[in-house]
Amino acid sequence: MIGDLERRAGIGASPAERTAFWLQFHHLEGKACLNAGVAELRRLIAQKEARPDPRPKTRAVRRIRETLPPLTPEQEVALQAYAARHGRRWKSILNNAWMGGPPYDDGGLLRGLRNSHGPTWLQSYRLSKPAQR
């Protein structure tokens, strides 16, 4: 059994190669030495027989953008009102509120928008132009 594990792990069959492998565990007593050696052999086998990850190692894989539902007129109005109330930094203020910070005024529609679209969506969102009167 140990000879088979050694072979599968890539340890050479000569006494010198086998001794070189087992010497790293010589400081352990009896069964502990054997258990540590077998565990290392199994690790080496698993490493050797592991299938390579088919995914590329680079960041060239692009995530498919998930299509979000369009905003309802009520959500648009709520965002317009929030932006008017908080000025040019309205997005960072809303994002802070969505993360649990003050001013805690993101109830109802805006909180639902956080749950359906998320904070990342907010960064790229642009307010629609108000209707001309």
Side-chain angles (χ1 to χ4, degrees), residues 72-83 109-110 125 127-128:
T72 64
E74 295 82 19
Q75 290 170 326
E76 288 274 355
V77 169
L79 285 169
Q80 292 277 359
Y82 199 88
L109 287 172
L110 295 177
Y125 175 74
L127 286 171
S128 59

Side-chain angles (χ1 to χ4, degrees), residues 4-95:
D4 182 48
L5 288 176
E6 290 172 337
R7 220 174 357 273
R8 287 177 53 205
I11 307 299
S14 74
E17 291 169 308
R18 294 180 70 211
T19 301
F21 171 79
W22 287 99
L23 269 177
Q24 61 186 319
F25 307 106
H26 80 280
H27 64 282
L28 299 171
E29 298 281 330
K31 192 172 181 180
C33 175
L34 183 62
N35 289 341
V38 168
E40 178 63 10
L41 287 170
R42 287 190 174 136
R43 187 191 70 77
L44 290 170
I45 292 167
Q47 182 180 0
K48 189 175 177 183
E49 294 176 354
R51 293 188 178 163
D53 190 353
R55 296 175 292 179
K57 300 282 186 241
T58 64
R59 292 187 158 248
V61 176
R62 291 188 178 193
R63 291 182 184 227
I64 298 172
R65 263 214 157 130
E66 149 184 346
T67 305
L68 297 171
L71 297 183
T72 64
E74 295 82 19
Q75 290 170 326
E76 288 274 355
V77 169
L79 285 169
Q80 292 277 359
Y82 199 88
R85 194 166 53 247
H86 291 287
R88 59 184 279 213
R89 293 194 60 238
W90 73 273
K91 283 186 186 181
S92 62
I93 294 168
L94 179 58
N95 192 38

Side-chain angles (χ1 to χ4, degrees), residues 65 68 90-91 117-127:
R65 263 214 157 130
L68 297 171
W90 73 273
K91 283 186 186 181
H117 287 64
T120 304
W121 164 85
L122 181 62
Q123 293 172 353
S124 61
Y125 175 74
R126 299 285 177 254
L127 286 171

